[in-house]
Amino acid sequence: MAPPRRLGVVASCIVAGAIFSAAASQVRNPLPESLTSDLLGPEDEAALSEAAEPVGPFEWVAITIGRNDTLDALFRGMQLRLTDLAALRTLPDVRRSLDMIRPGDVIQLTHLDGEIKSLTRRINETTTLSVTRTEGGFNSNIVENPLEIEERKLAGTVTTSLYLAVNEAGGTDRLAVSLADVFKYDIDFVNSVQPGDSFVVAYQQQWQDGEFVRDGEILAAEFVNSGRSYRAVRYVGPNGRADYYTPDGRPVRKAFLRYPVDYARISSGYSLARRHPILNRVRAHRGIDFAAPAGTPIKAAGAGRVVSREWNGGYGNAVVLAHAGGVTTLYGHMSRFAGGLSVGDRVAQGQVIGYVGATGLATAPHVHYEYRVNGVHQNPARVTVPKADPIPASLMADFKAQTAPLLARLDAAPADQSIRVALN
Ligand SMILES: [Zn+2]
């Protein structure tokens, strides 16, 4: 007989509100009998009280699916009844959600000498499959546990960085990233944010069973950069698509990103006379170099089409994109290209087209970024990008109705901080 496999079995139980958990290498992991009456959650108990079988003492196990695991092998390894597994698979809903297992998934079950008494499996964040044994066989239920949304407002002043300012105000790193993302077309958060800059942000948080899950959407925000105020508000159009607009209805999004990489430092600007670090002679630098760690994703600055994607002399691995209005952009020195892209393919703004490297004539990892109009180099930091169309007159009433209360939250006193609403 083969030696027992080490299964990823974790047993845990909730006793008087406290959560105990113990990792075990054993295939079977019986819990002390004194705990078994407290093993099951309220729903399990309710479900089991309907069952004909006497309650407990059952063994409770949580199986964490490993690579190459199959349910059959797991059941066999734990000496659970394969006839039960076969019976479970005949139930509607169950077969699909049981057999579509991925590494890391957890299946919890109770059994008595290998006979399955109940089984639960989280299908997704808000849905759990729950199966219990009844007199007539297995009974399955899909249990919904929706997220709740709480609206919050935070305000702060930058002393060193936006991250710290958001953290000090009680926000997460993710909120800081989202906030920078909203204003990235207008504000350079790496190179031009200064002490004294300030922000106010009204946003959503997702909660479940009284636990914070994650930050949700930013609803409205203001950032004051060097005394100049920028405001953005989220609007969901009739097509269901959400985007950020200025309070008067202009899209915050522009046709081109400021940078093709997030949070990069400018290591060399656009210049018509620069001493080249490798060639050691004065040469125009008709692009901007953004230093970033090797492997950092490089994003298409605007929507367009791939014109070339190849080794390009001193540029190393380079991608050239063509955009509307005769604009082309070039991204050089890539360590590698993004997979699945070929010449002629369309790319969306922000789509990853390659990764930062130091191929070609480069001393350190960076992306060399060029912007040309009808073949003529322009300074990407100076080009005036055509403004996107504002909200059409026909939608303006809807826009105002939807955004006015969100913008009002920015000006409201900090006291009315949280409103909890159910998420549909
Ligand atoms: Zn360069």
Side-chain angles (χ1 to χ4, degrees):
M1 193 171 164
R5 277 177 65 213
R6 188 189 163 99
L7 296 173
V9 176
V10 173
S12 64
C13 61
I14 298 171
V15 180
I19 298 170
F20 298 88
S21 85
S25 59
Q26 297 303 309
V27 169
R28 291 161 65 96
N29 188 33
L31 289 160
E33 208 160 317
S34 60
L35 291 180
T36 48
S37 59
D38 294 318
L39 282 185
L40 306 168
E43 297 126 59
D44 298 320
E45 279 179 15
L48 280 167
S49 64
E50 296 163 12
E53 299 280 341
V55 176
F58 301 144
E59 287 182 28
W60 188 100
V61 284
I63 307 164
T64 303
I65 306 298
R67 238 169 240 295
N68 304 322
D69 276 343
T70 63
L71 278 184
D72 295 83
L74 289 168
F75 266 61
R76 213 172 290 124
M78 297 177 69
Q79 292 161 35
L80 299 171
R81 283 190 197 171
L82 291 169
T83 47
D84 282 354
L85 181 57
L88 286 166
R89 282 182 169 139
T90 63
L91 295 171
D93 299 338
V94 176
R95 188 192 168 95
R96 204 160 52 103
S97 52
L98 258 192
D99 280 338
M100 280 180 59
I101 54 174
R102 291 163 307 235
D105 284 357
V106 176
I107 294 175
Q108 303 179 353
L109 52 85
T110 56
H111 70 94
L112 184 60
D113 294 331
E115 186 184 73
I116 302 296
K117 298 294 178 185
S118 73
L119 177 149
T120 60
R121 193 220 152 165
R122 210 168 99 132
I123 296 168
N124 59 39
E125 189 172 46
T126 59
T127 317
T128 303
L129 167 72
S130 169
V131 183
T132 46
R133 190 182 208 99
T134 65
E135 220 169 331
F138 287 113
N139 188 2
S140 72
N141 278 298
I142 301 288
V143 182
E144 299 284 347
N145 186 12
L147 295 172
E148 287 193 323
I149 284 195
E150 183 174 299
E151 290 181 9
R152 294 193 77 205
K153 181 174 134 180
L154 285 186
T157 302
V158 175
T159 48
T160 51
S161 73
L162 177 64
Y163 281 93
L164 274 178
V166 169
N167 284 161
E168 278 164 11
T172 61
D173 283 353
R174 180 175 158 146
L175 178 65
V177 170
S178 306
L179 188 60
D181 207 48
V182 168
F183 292 109
K184 69 183 171 191
Y185 294 92
D186 290 308
I187 300 168
D188 176 348
F189 281 94
V190 176
N191 301 290
S192 82
V193 164
Q194 353 191 329
D197 283 1
S198 62
F199 69 87
V200 186
V201 56
Y203 68 107
Q204 298 178 328
Q205 287 186 331
Q206 298 180 350
W207 291 71
Q208 193 176 41
D209 299 331
E211 301 269 339
F212 172 71
V213 177
R214 69 174 72 82
D215 289 322
E217 305 294 346
I218 289 180
L219 303 173
E222 178 180 61
F223 196 88
V224 180
N225 180 223
S226 303
R228 184 173 168 190
S229 162
Y230 297 85
R231 278 193 168 198
V233 65
R234 187 170 188 267
Y235 170 65
V236 185
N239 56 6
R241 215 181 302 156
D243 218 334
Y244 291 95
Y245 293 84
T246 61
D248 60 353
R250 287 210 163 263
V252 167
R253 179 185 302 277
K254 295 192 171 59
F256 287 88
L257 298 171
R258 301 174 62 88
Y259 296 172
V261 259
D262 289 335
Y263 319 115
R265 185 176 56 81
I266 294 175
S267 55
S268 187
Y270 189 88
S271 155
L272 295 176
R274 176 189 76 145
R275 185 161 292 277
H276 193 280
I278 291 180
L279 302 174
N280 196 30
R281 53 188 159 88
V282 174
R283 226 170 86 133
H285 185 240
R286 291 194 171 94
I288 295 184
D289 290 345
F290 297 101
T296 303
I298 299 171
K299 299 173 174 181
R305 214 177 261 283
V306 180
V307 173
S308 77
R309 178 183 179 277
E310 60 191 0
W311 182 267
N312 190 344
Y315 290 123
N317 291 322
V319 168
V320 178
L321 303 178
H323 311 274
V327 176
T328 55
T329 53
L330 176 149
Y331 314 76
H333 310 308
M334 290 178 172
S335 56
R336 60 189 174 93
F337 301 115
L341 262 189
S342 3
V343 170
D345 286 353
R346 279 183 182 285
V347 290
Q349 182 181 57
Q351 186 175 335
V352 175
I353 53 172
Y355 300 89
V356 172
T359 55
L361 281 179
T363 50
H366 73 278
V367 55
H368 170 92
Y369 174 58
E370 290 184 10
Y371 184 102
R372 302 181 203 190
V373 181
N374 299 323
V376 180
H377 288 92
Q378 310 266 328
N379 182 349
R382 296 268 164 79
V383 287
T384 45
V385 172
K387 280 194 172 173
D389 292 335
I391 294 280
S394 59
L395 287 180
M396 200 41 107
D398 183 51
F399 174 81
K400 291 283 182 194
Q402 203 183 112
T403 59
L406 303 179
L407 287 163
R409 296 186 69 74
L410 297 181
D411 300 315
D416 73 328
Q417 265 224 343
S418 54
I419 302 168
R420 201 173 275 200
V421 290
L423 174 64
N424 298 317

